[in-house]
Amino acid sequence: MSNMSHDSVSRRDFLRTTTCGAAAVGLGAMATGTLAAPTASKPATTFKKPPLPYGKLGRTGFPVTLISFGAIRISERLGTRITKGVIDAGVNLIHTSASYMGGNSITAIADLFRTDKSYRDKVFLCLKSFNPDSEKEIDEMLKMLGTDHTDALLTTFEKADPRRLEAIQKQQEALIKKGKLKHTGFVCHGDMHGVMELTLEKAPKFFEVTLLAMRMLPLGKDKTSDDSTRFLKNLKAFRENGIGILSMKSGAKGAVEQGADVFLPHAKAVLDAGCNSVLTSVNSFEQIDMIKTLDLKSRHMTDDEKKAAAAFLDDRPQACLMCARCRKVCPQGLPVNDLMRIRMYNDEYGWPDHARSEFSTLSLDAKRLACACGDCTTCTQVCPIGLAGAGTVRHVAEMFV
Ligand code: SF4
Ligand code: SF4
């Protein structure tokens, strides 16, 4: 599944037609289109209350459990059993995509839905999609899952491009009319500030759900920055507009693996910052048992919990903020932020298969990429955490040579 963005085409052209260290292809200016009208509100629906602590997912009104399931790492029979275990534990939102684990994630969930159709009705299903110009990928995912609709569609929205926003709106409105979609949504791990601010300006009431990278939350000690202040301001505006906020890339995966003493304070901190649910990639039955025991009825954090949450975040100094500054300045038009996220999947998360799968969506030639930067230092100069740079780009490229 590929992301057919304009710059992906430019990058492909660049890497196909130039030699190492050669000059770059510039990106053309984006035209601004007319935006469609916001989606009309849905009639009120009665939802079953879950057994685990929950809150309202924005204007959807859905009582989402405070911990939800990101099925990014599941596959085969174990994946099906994990999904069943998560839902049996009371978690009521799951997120998957045909791109996860080379299609194995969605297949594992489909196997559960096929075996027992009631499981489909127990969850708020979120699907990630890449191409707002075609319904094919949505139809294929729905067919695979044996369902006629998804509860939310999280279309990738990585750059503050009004044309992309317009295309997403147009597609999602059409899907709602056809009954294939209940609630509008998008996912962003790119230009977080730009995308949030464009949405607030052009379509403040259109989206009902969003999945956002939360690395800019000021959760560690001394973490308040211009980025965190701006991010929190936009997050607050989203919530005021009734957009349900799902968190990702907060570090939840690592926190879950360290057990309740780390995950509970982390989850409380993320929820307290303004998220409705912490999406996490549970992958063992021990983790499911732990989630069942979490006391999230109160968000109050003791001093020890505050210290634990801050210490966990401070232990990840090289976790990408997902600010996309590096990408914006790259004279080669390289998707530097995506490459840094792929580094994270491989080096921090230990998910080489997922890193490879994500790399394949970029349509880059790894050999050429390995020597594309030359002695350029442009992205290094703007990266607030000193992560982006020619060396890191080469490191990522060499994973796939
Ligand atoms: S060093 Fe950074 S800015 Fe320069 S070409 Fe490489 S990725 Fe782009
Ligand atoms: S690598 Fe640095 S500049 Fe690029 S998105 Fe991450 S934090 Fe921002």
Side-chain angles (χ1 to χ4, degrees):
M1 189 155 304
S2 65
N3 180 353
M4 297 299 291
S5 64
H6 291 258
D7 54 335
S8 70
V9 173
S10 296
R11 285 193 308 276
R12 205 160 45 239
D13 290 347
F14 160 71
L15 292 167
R16 193 184 295 140
T17 57
T18 63
T19 54
C20 291
V25 170
L27 301 181
M30 298 290 187
T32 303
T34 307
L35 298 179
T39 306
S41 303
K42 317 280 179 313
T45 309
T46 307
F47 297 109
K48 194 175 168 204
K49 289 181 181 168
L52 296 178
Y54 63 92
K56 197 168 80 167
L57 185 61
R59 300 199 310 281
T60 71
F62 183 75
V64 66
T65 47
L66 300 182
I67 306 299
S68 46
F69 181 41
I72 191 169
R73 278 293 294 161
I74 59 161
S75 66
E76 302 181 344
R77 288 175 64 187
L78 178 60
T80 304
R81 289 174 56 222
I82 294 272
T83 307
K84 181 176 182 301
V86 166
I87 299 172
D88 287 343
V91 169
N92 68 3
L93 183 146
I94 65 176
H95 169 61
T96 187
S97 164
S99 67
Y100 292 162
M101 297 294 285
N104 288 328
S105 161
I106 202 163
T107 302
I109 295 168
D111 284 347
L112 175 64
F113 289 177
R114 216 178 359 255
T115 307
D116 186 338
K117 288 190 188 312
S118 72
Y119 278 86
R120 166 64 187 93
D121 297 330
K122 290 177 183 175
V123 293
F124 188 100
L125 178 65
C126 294
L127 296 179
K128 176 178 174 181
S129 78
F130 293 83
N131 188 354
D133 299 321
S134 164
E135 285 183 24
K136 191 165 169 255
E137 64 168 335
I138 319 288
D139 290 340
E140 285 175 356
M141 287 192 282
L142 296 180
K143 187 176 173 197
M144 197 179 289
L145 290 163
T147 182
D148 62 355
H149 74 278
T150 181
D151 295 292
L153 187 64
L154 304 176
T155 311
T156 52
F157 190 11
E158 309 290 13
K159 287 173 29 177
D161 177 358
R163 291 196 308 191
R164 178 84 179 176
L165 174 58
E166 184 184 359
I168 294 171
Q169 289 183 283
K170 198 172 154 198
Q171 183 193 52
Q172 295 197 1
E173 285 186 331
L175 289 168
I176 285 171
K177 280 188 192 138
K178 292 176 188 172
K180 296 180 190 176
L181 173 63
K182 297 282 186 207
H183 301 286
T184 53
F186 75 89
V187 54
C188 180
H189 17 41
D191 179 5
M192 207 68 61
H193 298 318
V195 165
M196 291 175 86
E197 285 160 13
L198 180 70
T199 301
L200 288 166
E201 181 198 342
K202 302 277 189 188
K205 299 276 182 165
F206 181 80
F207 292 109
E208 297 166 284
V209 184
T210 186
L211 174 58
L212 298 174
M214 291 291 159
R215 189 61 186 99
M216 286 190 207
L217 290 180
L219 300 182
K221 58 178 185 322
D222 305 326
K223 288 286 190 244
T224 302
S225 63
D226 290 349
D227 276 325
S228 64
T229 303
R230 190 170 164 190
F231 182 69
L232 284 175
K233 179 171 169 247
N234 291 333
L235 201 62
K236 183 165 177 273
F238 266 38
R239 280 186 66 104
E240 285 169 357
N241 288 342
I243 303 175
I245 316 275
L246 305 174
S247 86
M248 65 171 175
K249 308 290 183 290
S250 68
K253 175 213 163 273
V256 162
E257 287 170 354
Q258 292 185 45
D261 288 349
V262 175
F263 185 58
L264 180 62
H266 177 74
K268 278 187 178 180
V270 173
L271 293 164
D272 190 52
C275 297
N276 297 112
S277 186
V278 180
L279 206 72
T280 186
S281 58
V282 177
N283 64 1
S284 77
F285 296 101
E286 290 75 23
Q287 291 170 2
I288 295 171
D289 287 342
M290 182 267 284
I291 283 170
K292 282 197 280 191
T293 67
L294 294 178
D295 182 5
L296 281 165
K297 287 193 186 73
S298 164
R299 308 278 170 82
H300 174 72
M301 295 178 76
T302 64
D303 286 345
D304 283 348
E305 285 177 329
K306 284 180 191 164
K307 276 186 205 154
F312 172 70
L313 268 295
D314 288 339
D315 212 26
R316 306 178 63 229
Q318 282 238 294
C320 174
L321 293 182
M322 305 199 178
C323 65
R325 284 190 182 89
C326 47
R327 183 183 193 133
K328 287 182 188 169
V329 299
C330 178
Q332 310 268 26
L334 293 173
V336 198
N337 57 336
D338 289 331
L339 295 170
M340 297 304 115
R341 185 161 48 86
I342 288 164
R343 182 207 70 90
M344 179 188 73
Y345 291 137
N346 188 77
D347 294 3
E348 289 181 42
Y349 289 14
W351 296 349
D353 294 345
H354 186 64
R356 183 171 291 279
S357 163
E358 289 285 310
F359 186 76
S360 71
T361 68
L362 300 178
S363 304
L364 294 173
D365 180 311
K367 272 190 190 154
R368 292 183 181 215
L369 180 65
C371 53
C373 297
D375 57 3
C376 175
T377 60
T378 308
C379 60
T380 310
Q381 293 169 39
V382 299
C383 177
I385 59 168
L387 174 63
T392 325
V393 169
R394 189 163 50 249
H395 165 68
V396 173
E398 285 172 352
M399 291 175 197
F400 310 109
V401 170

